[in-house]
Amino acid sequence: MRRPAAIGAQDAAWEAVLSVRDRARRAPIELPLEVPLGRSRLLIDRDGGWRLSPEGDAELGEFLVLYLPLALIPHHRPFALAHLAQSLDGRIATLGGASQWLTGEPDLCHTHRLRALADAVLVGAATVRQDDPRLTVRRCAGGQPVRVVLDPRMSLDDDRQVFRDDSAPTLVLAAADCVGTRTHVGAAEIVPVPSDGERLAPAAIRAALAARGLYWLFIEGGGVTVSRFLAAQALDRLQIAIAPVLLGSGRPSLALPEIGDLAAALRPRMRRFALGDDILVECVFHDR
Ligand SMILES: NC(=O)c1ccc[n+]([C@@H]2O[C@H](COP(=O)([O-])OP(=O)(O)OC[C@H]3O[C@@H](n4cnc5c(N)ncnc54)[C@H](OP(=O)(O)O)[C@@H]3O)[C@@H](O)[C@H]2O)c1
C-alpha cells in the first residue's frame, strides 16, 4: 500500500506540484521540465515520467505519484475527476445526511488539494442544502477554484455560504427552460444549461464550463451527482476514499443503472494509496 510523505517534505512537494499545475494552466507545458523541490530538483521527462535529484524517500515518491499526473493534465484539455468519501459498506452519509467527517484529516486535506488543482469544484444541490459548504481551499496552499452548484430548478435559498461569501466566483447551473429572467442567486451567477427535463447532461455541463475557460473539474459529490457523471461516461478519474467504518444504513455512494451480468461491470485501471487510516482508490477511466 502506498503511503504519502511526511509533513515538511509534503509541503515542498506540494509547492512543486502547484508550480507544475500553474504552468499547465497558462500554456501548453513543454517537457522535459525541471522544477525545484526543497533542496532537490524534480525532473519530468517527455512522457510524464519523473525522478528526483538527489533521490527522495519512498513516501515523497508516493505523494508525487498521486498528484503529479493530475498537475500535468494538458493545457485546456477537458478533464473531470470525482471524489467520494465512503464507509466500508458504501455509504457517504447517514440517511439524515450527516457526513462530517467520515474520513480522517489526511483525506480532508487531500480534498482541499484537489480543489486547488481544479479550475472548478462542482457539487449537487443536496450537498449545498445539507452541508452549506464553502468549497474553498483552506487546508493547503493554492488558489481558489470557481465554485459550481448543480441546481436545475434553482431550489436553494440564497443564504447558503457559497452564494454569500466572496472568496471565489460561484456559478449555479440551472435548466435553461427554468431560468426565465433570473440572473443571480445571491452573488452567484446563474448559467442556463440545455436539459432533458430537469436533468442536465454531464456533457452539456462540461461544455458550458469549458466555454468559460473551466476545463479541469473536481466533482466533490454527493453520490447522485457523481453517479450521473459516471453513468454518462463523463469522468476521467474517480477517487473513492474508504473509511474503516460500517454505517449499516445511509445515503449511497454510487448508484448506476442495473446490470444483469458481471461482464457489464466497470473494471477500470486502479491506483491505491494510504491516507492515514483510510484507503484511497483511484479508478482511471481515461489517461492523458
Ligand atoms: N462523503 C462524501 O464524499 C460526500 C460528499 C458530498 C456530499 N456528501 C453528503 O451527501 C449528501 C448529498 O448527496 P446526494 O447524493 O444526496 O445529493 P447531491 O449529489 O449532493 O445532489 C443531488 C442533486 O443535485 C442536483 N443534480 C446533480 N446532478 C444533476 C444533473 N446532472 N442534472 C440536474 N441536477 C443535478 C439535483 O438536484 P434537484 O433534486 O434539485 O433536481 C440532485 O437531486 C449530503 O448528506 C452530504 O452531506 C458526502
Side-chain angles (χ1 to χ4, degrees):
M1 182 76 63
R2 295 162 162 170
R3 189 168 287 282
I7 297 300
Q10 258 188 27
D11 287 345
W14 179 241
E15 288 298 337
V17 169
L18 279 182
S19 83
V20 171
R21 175 70 186 122
D22 280 349
R23 283 169 197 250
R25 241 191 253 271
R26 284 197 302 269
I29 210 159
E30 288 194 16
L31 298 176
L33 178 67
E34 193 176 309
V35 182
L37 192 163
R39 291 186 192 152
S40 307
R41 287 172 308 136
L42 174 61
L43 307 159
I44 306 172
D45 59 33
R46 283 183 206 288
D47 63 4
W50 55 270
R51 68 188 167 85
L52 276 176
S53 174
E55 241 177 65
D57 61 26
E59 292 189 351
L60 186 58
E62 294 309 329
F63 186 90
L64 293 168
V65 167
L66 175 55
Y67 293 109
L68 210 46
L70 305 179
L72 281 167
I73 300 301
H75 178 66
H76 286 187
R77 144 88 198 272
F79 176 78
L81 179 149
H83 171 282
L84 287 170
Q86 69 172 49
S87 62
L88 283 172
D89 53 338
R91 317 289 181 164
I92 60 164
T94 65
L95 277 177
S99 66
Q100 295 170 348
W101 301 107
L102 258 175
T103 47
E105 180 64 27
D107 184 51
L108 293 179
C109 199
H110 170 66
T111 308
H112 282 230
R113 290 196 187 107
L114 294 176
R115 290 178 183 171
L117 290 172
D119 294 328
V121 55
L122 183 152
V123 293
T127 294
V128 172
R129 191 173 295 115
Q130 176 75 33
D131 298 347
D132 196 13
R134 280 179 281 172
L135 301 177
T136 53
V137 176
R138 304 183 303 279
R139 293 173 192 260
C140 65
Q144 302 297 341
V146 170
R147 302 176 294 192
V148 179
V149 180
L150 300 185
D151 188 10
R153 290 167 289 113
M154 297 166 296
S155 61
L156 292 165
D157 292 334
D158 64 6
D159 63 353
R160 307 284 81 190
Q161 294 191 86
V162 282
F163 304 144
R164 285 279 146 221
D165 73 32
D166 59 359
S167 40
T170 305
L171 306 175
V172 174
L173 267 47
D177 51 8
C178 290
V179 169
T181 55
R182 252 184 109 179
T183 57
H184 287 81
V185 181
E189 181 187 345
I190 296 171
V191 178
V193 175
S195 67
D196 176 12
E198 284 171 1
R199 289 263 180 118
L200 313 179
I205 293 168
R206 289 182 64 159
L209 295 175
R212 292 171 169 255
L214 305 172
Y215 297 99
W216 199 126
L217 308 181
F218 171 33
I219 298 146
E220 196 172 314
V224 169
T225 300
V226 172
S227 297
R228 288 183 186 174
F229 271 83
L230 183 57
Q233 298 178 19
L235 290 182
D236 295 282
R237 295 187 188 218
L238 168 64
Q239 295 188 346
I240 299 182
I242 303 165
V245 58
L246 292 161
L247 296 191
S249 61
R251 299 200 189 186
S253 172
L254 297 173
L256 297 179
E258 187 177 334
I259 55 169
D261 191 316
L262 287 183
L266 302 173
R267 296 182 194 274
R269 184 164 73 79
M270 300 278 181
R271 308 196 305 154
R272 282 186 298 159
F273 302 88
L275 287 182
D277 292 335
D278 305 319
I279 296 168
L280 182 74
V281 179
E282 182 183 66
C283 307
V284 181
F285 297 107
H286 306 119
D287 271 321
R288 287 190 302 129

